[in-house]
Amino acid sequence: MVISLETAPSEPEQSVPRSSRRTGRTAGTTVILGMLAFGVYSLTTLDFSLANIVSSIDNAQKVFSLMDPISLPAWSELTYLIGLTLGIVILGTVVAAVVSVPVAWVSASNTTPSTTLRWLGRTIGVLTRAVPDVVLALAFSLAFVLGSPLPGVLAIGIHSIGMISKLFADAIEQIDDGPRLAIRAAGGSRAQEFWSGVFPQVLPSWIATILHRFDINLRGSAILGYAGVGGLGYAMKIAFEQFPQGYGRGLGIAAVIFVLCVVCEIISSTIRRNLLGVEPRGRRLGDRAVRLVSRWRGRGRSARTETPPTIAATVDSMARQPWTARRIRNTAWTIGALALVIASYWLADIDFADINWAYLWPSIQSFWPPSTGSHTFGEFAEALLVTVQVAFAAALLSLVVSLVIGSFAARNIAPNPVVRGTFRVLLVVFRGIPELVLAIFLIMITGLGNQAGVVALAVGGIGLLGKLIADSCEEVSPGPERALTATGAARGQRYLAATWPRALPSLIGNTLYLVDSNIRSATILGIVGGSGIGFYLMSASTLSSMHGQVTTLVVMMVVTVLTVEGVAAWLRRVFR
């Protein structure tokens, strides 16, 4: 004990890191306040106001009076469109999931063979996240037969690699290195280290990320219709082009997309909980279905008498893995997933003969060298500034609403399960509304492109950010909350003194992730007639002679996304 007291660091030595930490927090707080001020400034600069929206009510009444009643395609046609959309989205997500494995392996600091490969993997992730999927679909459509689903599959797959590989690599860096190092000490290869010591630890996170990305891709499939990719999005585009008679059919298809997104969100959430071993306790449709199957399976097991384990065991019996209920369930999930992929391939009607090989390489070459065409770099920079303003304005609106909805959706904050379930359902509804569908609907009413884009991105952001806030609040350590409860603190006091400070780092990172996502969703504004970088991207993607402009714009977006990611990483370290 005497030695430990003598070797303990002196008080002045401890004051240095504390002072540095305090300085970092002060700088971080200043940056956050600056970004909030920029969000408010963006709202005023874009002339966003409730008065402008309210003044468009008369225009909305005129539009609705000219519309035909909301209708749907024939049942056979609707079934085909739904199957085609699901097939394209599932195949694209599967392609991204498979490619993300080697990309994440070289991107993670504890598994990469070299620093150069690590930077290469991270660069691939950033580039694929920065290029919007609709731009990729427009570029691929030049080298494929018109109406082929392959541009949609490739666009979704390439764009999804960035998110899945990034989150997968982050999960790999947080694993317990013990099993991996043990395999290395036993003479195992790098492949054996990864598949036996790393992959089993991150498999649940990988599956959860894939399912989450599938939800995002399904909502984004409506945008691909404007790039000529078949499915519900393309049918909605054709309907909306027939003004005003086709608007009723377009809104009907938009309603189908919304219901499909909500149903798939419920199913994928239930699958995530089931695969991660979490018993579903909610009252939603997916939770009830899983509990019903669990009770039926439990009654079947209770009718059988299990053989008690014996001490004696042979080498052969130890080498054979028993067919437990868990193994049977996992095998069934695996077979079901493979069957779903095969069915998706059939539904999407993939035909590799649709590739026009004569135009493939010339199409790739058309993106180099970068250029501004008939525009100037200043015009592109001004358009990028508008896009960033829209992203920050939408994120600010999402943040304000999400703080309320996300907090009451957390189990440790909501006063009772009914309130928590209500707000969770509300978040599912927000996430189920495709941004493009809402933007088109708002542009019909307001006629204001930027404001429609801000509201559309804000509504979609509420669903995403609210869920992340709820999950972050539920993951905080319960110790401080229990301590305050024992002292008689009210619910609001526990929230402000115990829950909020510990959830703040995640809130900062998730909000900046939303800003990053909003910047990448800038193509929505170009589609609905707004300004910003999305307008130039959509215009330049349609002609191969203008693809050099696409490269310039994408590079500008990559630099912006990297800046936002760097600020987010720094703020997370500061407020950790």
Side-chain angles (χ1 to χ4, degrees):
M1 295 298 295
V2 175
I3 296 176
S4 63
L5 289 174
E6 291 177 352
T7 57
S10 60
E11 192 66 23
E13 293 177 346
Q14 289 183 344
S15 63
V16 175
R18 288 180 181 176
S19 176
S20 176
R21 184 178 183 84
R22 186 162 48 246
T23 302
R25 284 180 174 267
T26 302
T29 303
T30 303
V31 172
I32 293 174
L33 293 176
M35 288 189 295
L36 291 175
F38 180 74
V40 175
Y41 167 77
S42 299
L43 283 174
T44 58
T45 303
L46 297 171
D47 295 328
F48 180 87
S49 65
L50 293 178
N52 290 337
I53 297 178
V54 172
S55 64
S56 302
I57 295 179
D58 293 337
N59 184 40
Q61 293 176 347
K62 294 178 181 178
V63 171
F64 288 132
S65 64
L66 295 173
M67 282 174 44
D68 288 343
I70 295 179
S71 61
L72 294 174
W75 176 248
S76 58
E77 182 183 357
L78 182 61
T79 304
Y80 167 76
L81 293 174
I82 292 176
L84 179 59
T85 301
L86 289 176
I88 292 173
V89 173
I90 292 174
L91 286 180
T93 307
V94 169
V95 169
V98 173
V99 178
S100 69
V101 174
V103 174
W105 175 62
V106 299
S107 300
S109 58
N110 54 340
T111 58
T112 183
S114 67
T115 305
T116 303
L117 286 177
R118 181 172 184 267
W119 281 107
L120 177 61
R122 292 288 182 177
T123 302
I124 293 174
V126 171
L127 289 176
T128 52
R129 287 199 309 274
V131 183
D133 50 2
V134 67
V135 174
L136 290 170
L138 286 169
F140 283 129
S141 63
L142 299 176
F144 289 82
V145 176
L146 184 63
S148 172
L150 281 173
V153 173
L154 294 176
I156 291 175
I158 293 176
H159 183 64
S160 302
I161 291 172
M163 174 184 171
I164 298 177
S165 64
K166 180 182 184 301
L167 297 180
F168 192 27
D170 293 344
I172 291 175
E173 291 179 344
Q174 297 172 7
I175 64 168
D176 178 12
D177 271 338
R180 182 177 67 86
L181 296 177
I183 294 174
R184 177 183 295 182
S189 62
R190 285 188 177 272
Q192 291 172 324
E193 286 183 33
F194 180 79
W195 293 112
S196 299
V198 176
F199 193 74
Q201 297 187 58
V202 295
L203 179 60
S205 175
W206 185 59
I207 294 175
T209 302
I210 293 171
L211 291 172
H212 177 54
R213 186 65 219 186
F214 169 77
D215 297 337
I216 297 175
N217 290 338
L218 183 59
R219 294 198 305 272
S221 62
I223 303 175
L224 296 182
Y226 284 77
V229 178
L232 291 170
Y234 185 72
M236 184 181 66
K237 169 182 176 292
I238 296 300
F240 278 132
E241 287 177 348
Q242 301 172 1
F243 178 84
Q245 290 78 15
Y247 271 30
R249 175 64 60 88
L251 289 179
I253 297 175
V256 172
I257 296 175
F258 168 73
V259 173
L260 191 63
C261 290
V262 172
V263 171
C264 289
E265 166 74 16
I266 295 174
I267 294 175
S268 63
S269 297
T270 304
I271 293 175
R272 282 197 296 268
R273 288 193 295 272
N274 194 35
L275 287 178
L276 297 177
V278 179
E279 182 66 24
R281 306 178 187 275
R283 299 182 180 182
R284 290 177 290 181
L285 177 62
D287 291 348
R288 291 180 178 179
V290 172
R291 286 200 301 270
L292 181 63
V293 174
S294 299
R295 294 195 195 102
W296 175 79
R297 192 173 56 207
R299 284 196 295 267
R301 283 199 301 265
S302 62
R304 300 189 301 268
T305 57
E306 297 185 1
T307 305
T310 58
I311 299 177
T314 63
V315 175
D316 292 338
S317 64
M318 295 176 66
R320 290 194 301 266
Q321 185 178 1
W323 282 94
T324 61
R326 182 178 181 84
R327 186 184 180 191
I328 294 174
R329 184 176 67 250
N330 292 340
T331 303
W333 279 114
T334 303
I335 295 175
L338 292 175
L340 183 62
V341 173
I342 296 173
S344 302
Y345 184 88
W346 175 73
L347 289 172
D349 193 19
I350 299 296
D351 186 2
F352 290 100
D354 292 340
I355 304 177
N356 196 336
W357 296 102
Y359 289 95
L360 182 59
W361 180 244
S363 298
I364 296 175
Q365 287 181 317
S366 64
F367 287 91
W368 194 264
S371 68
T372 59
S374 59
H375 306 283
T376 63
F377 186 79
E379 292 176 341
F380 284 172
E382 184 178 355
L384 179 61
L385 176 61
V386 173
T387 298
V388 173
Q389 287 179 331
V390 171
F392 270 88
L396 179 60
L397 295 178
S398 300
L399 176 63
V400 173
V401 180
S402 298
L403 283 175
V404 179
I405 299 179
S407 297
F408 282 106
R411 183 179 294 104
N412 53 336
I413 298 176
N416 54 65
V418 175
V419 173
R420 177 182 180 270
T422 301
F423 281 95
R424 282 282 182 177
V425 171
L426 187 59
L427 290 176
V428 171
V429 172
F430 276 120
R431 288 201 305 276
I433 302 176
E435 290 88 347
L436 178 64
V437 173
L438 183 59
I440 293 174
F441 181 73
L442 291 174
I443 204 70
M444 290 165 47
I445 297 176
T446 65
L448 302 174
N450 285 333
Q451 291 196 26
V454 169
V455 175
L457 293 179
V459 170
I462 291 172
L464 174 62
L465 187 59
K467 181 180 184 298
L468 295 176
I469 289 176
D471 294 343
S472 299
C473 291
E474 290 182 347
E475 292 171 359
V476 300
S477 175
E481 293 180 344
R482 293 173 181 172
L484 289 175
T485 303
T487 61
R491 187 179 302 273
Q493 292 173 318
R494 294 198 303 270
Y495 176 73
L496 294 176
T499 308
W500 169 260
R502 292 179 176 271
L504 182 60
S506 296
L507 173 64
I508 295 172
N510 293 332
T511 304
L512 288 176
Y513 170 73
L514 180 61
V515 174
D516 178 8
S517 177
N518 287 346
I519 294 174
R520 294 196 303 270
S521 300
T523 50
I524 294 177
L525 302 181
I527 291 175
V528 299
S531 57
I533 201 171
F535 174 77
Y536 290 102
L537 273 174
M538 292 300 299
S539 300
S541 300
T542 56
L543 297 175
S544 58
S545 60
M546 301 172 64
H547 283 175
Q549 300 178 39
V550 174
T551 304
T552 302
L553 294 168
V554 167
V555 170
M556 295 173 66
M557 290 184 64
V558 168
V559 173
T560 305
V561 169
L562 283 176
T563 302
V564 174
E565 286 191 357
V567 173
W570 173 69
L571 289 175
R572 280 195 296 267
R573 289 195 304 268
V574 168
F575 289 97
R576 183 177 300 170

